[in-house]
Amino acid sequence: MLGDEWSRINNPLNSTSNIPENLTHYLKDYKQAGDGFRISKRDIKQTFHAKDGIKRLIYQESEEDQSRIRKTTRKLVNFLREVVQEDNLGLTGSSLFRAEIEDFSDVDLVVYGSDSYKLMSESLKKGPLSEIHFRTHEEWKEFYKRYDVVASITKEQFARHMVYKYDQFLIGGVPVSVFAVRNRDDMSLYLSYKNSKIEFKDNIELEAIVNDDSESMLLPSFYLVCDSDGDKYYVCNENRAFLFQAQTNNRIVIKGEFGNDLGGNKWIKITPNNNGFILRVDEK
């Protein structure tokens, strides 16, 4: 959970502060560096799965003893357990270790499987919890500026496409980020890409219709699209800004690097470094 090589664990408000109290007993020997504490995998004596965070939150803690953030997280998880199998939910980051900092930390929610992610999104769209707030168009414009979003689109374009998405919201004033993780049923396009030898060398921009969005919320995300001539393209996106950017039957504009695999299939690759993007036509 803490990384294969080096991970930085510290109070984000003070880069030379002590490790949060709830973490110290999980670590063996550590030493303080100028920019925080650094540990190698030799220093890790126990690791945790994101699913452990749900078990600890719901079954091993008394709600009366939980902080405001923990109580808010518990309320969200209890709602989602009604629509998504509990085994397909997890918590990571500070939420996993019960090391949240009041009025600073967010909730990092993990959802396993594209089907579970879509169930979650559809349920949140219906607005069953009055405390949930999805950022407005103007709020997303401020978010873009404040967080220095790495995407080759304008602040206005970013804000217009983010209001369609459900992987970032607030509940009771606490920010929530949702991370979708592949399961066995979400490997088709990913394995096709991983097992193909593709040389990306040309830039391309085209308008197309989304035929398959089943792996669009995962990272890397994939779409199968079709242009006006009936040509099919597989789109591989490695930029989190464009996760779940479009759904089946949406018309989109894609910009990225073009290549063919050995079977003649056409691919477009989008990364934070190649100025690529995916935009719905009504957002262009």
Side-chain angles (χ1 to χ4, degrees):
M1 191 65 223
L2 299 179
D4 284 337
E5 297 302 329
W6 291 91
S7 297
R8 182 165 176 249
I9 301 177
N10 62 282
N11 181 338
L13 301 177
N14 181 349
S15 62
T16 58
S17 66
N18 291 327
I19 292 177
E21 196 171 309
N22 291 331
L23 288 182
T24 54
H25 68 285
Y26 295 131
L27 307 179
K28 295 189 296 183
D29 297 330
Y30 58 85
K31 55 186 177 181
Q32 189 169 358
D35 59 348
F37 292 99
R38 293 185 181 276
I39 61 172
S40 73
K41 60 184 178 182
R42 293 188 304 272
D43 299 314
I44 300 172
K45 67 177 183 180
Q46 189 174 359
T47 59
F48 297 87
H49 195 283
K51 295 179 183 181
D52 295 329
I54 298 293
K55 296 174 184 176
R56 185 178 299 113
L57 177 77
I58 301 299
Y59 301 112
Q60 299 175 12
E61 297 176 9
S62 166
E63 185 173 1
E64 290 73 20
D65 296 332
Q66 291 178 329
S67 66
R68 183 182 71 89
I69 295 179
R70 298 293 283 179
K71 289 179 180 178
T72 301
T73 306
R74 188 187 191 106
K75 185 169 189 176
L76 173 64
V77 169
N78 278 333
F79 164 71
L80 291 177
R81 289 164 68 214
E82 297 295 321
V83 295
V84 176
Q85 289 186 13
E86 182 178 312
D87 197 49
N88 287 333
L89 295 172
L91 293 170
T92 189
S94 59
S95 301
L96 174 60
F97 292 101
R98 197 180 180 182
E100 302 96 328
I101 299 174
E102 199 72 33
D103 298 321
F104 182 89
S105 297
D106 61 356
V107 176
D108 292 322
L109 178 71
V110 180
V111 179
Y112 294 90
S114 58
D115 289 343
S116 294
Y117 183 91
K118 289 184 176 181
L119 280 173
M120 177 208 70
S121 299
E122 290 299 320
S123 299
L124 293 175
K125 283 180 187 178
K126 298 174 183 176
L129 295 177
S130 59
E131 299 95 331
I132 288 183
H133 170 71
F134 292 99
R135 291 183 178 92
T136 64
H137 177 270
E138 290 301 314
E139 287 173 327
W140 276 120
K141 286 169 68 174
E142 287 300 312
F143 186 96
Y144 180 96
K145 181 171 63 176
R146 191 165 69 246
Y147 286 83
D148 192 24
V149 173
V150 181
S152 58
I153 57 176
T154 67
K155 178 171 62 177
E156 178 68 22
Q157 289 172 324
F158 174 80
R160 269 191 272 140
H161 95 245
M162 289 302 291
V163 296
Y164 288 102
K165 298 168 72 170
Y166 293 86
D167 60 354
Q168 294 189 56
F169 56 90
L170 295 93
I171 176 168
V174 178
V176 179
S177 295
V178 183
F179 300 91
V181 177
R182 279 183 167 80
N183 62 20
R184 293 178 181 177
D185 298 323
D186 300 310
M187 302 297 289
S188 177
L189 293 177
Y190 173 73
L191 290 176
S192 295
Y193 173 74
K194 185 178 180 181
N195 295 329
S196 298
K197 294 183 179 180
I198 309 168
E199 183 180 357
F200 293 99
K201 55 183 179 180
D202 300 316
N203 293 322
I204 187 174
E205 182 172 337
L206 65 87
E207 188 170 311
I209 299 290
V210 177
N211 285 0
D212 185 353
D213 69 351
S214 59
E215 295 183 42
S216 62
M217 69 290 297
L218 308 158
L219 193 65
S221 61
F222 294 91
Y223 300 85
L224 174 60
V225 305
C226 184
D227 69 10
S228 58
D229 294 325
D231 292 334
K232 292 184 178 181
Y233 295 79
Y234 294 95
V235 181
C236 171
N237 165 53
E238 298 178 359
N239 189 341
R240 190 166 190 262
F242 299 113
L243 294 184
F244 208 48
Q245 166 58 12
Q247 288 78 55
T248 299
N249 296 324
N250 284 163
R251 182 175 294 276
I252 60 175
V253 174
I254 311 159
K255 180 182 177 182
E257 296 173 282
F258 174 78
N260 292 100
D261 62 24
L262 296 178
N265 296 307
K266 300 176 180 180
W267 288 84
I268 300 174
K269 184 178 181 180
I270 298 167
T271 72
N273 298 322
N274 70 3
N275 294 319
F277 59 73
I278 302 170
L279 288 177
R280 292 161 56 130
V281 167
D282 58 350
E283 299 158 8
K284 190 179 177 185

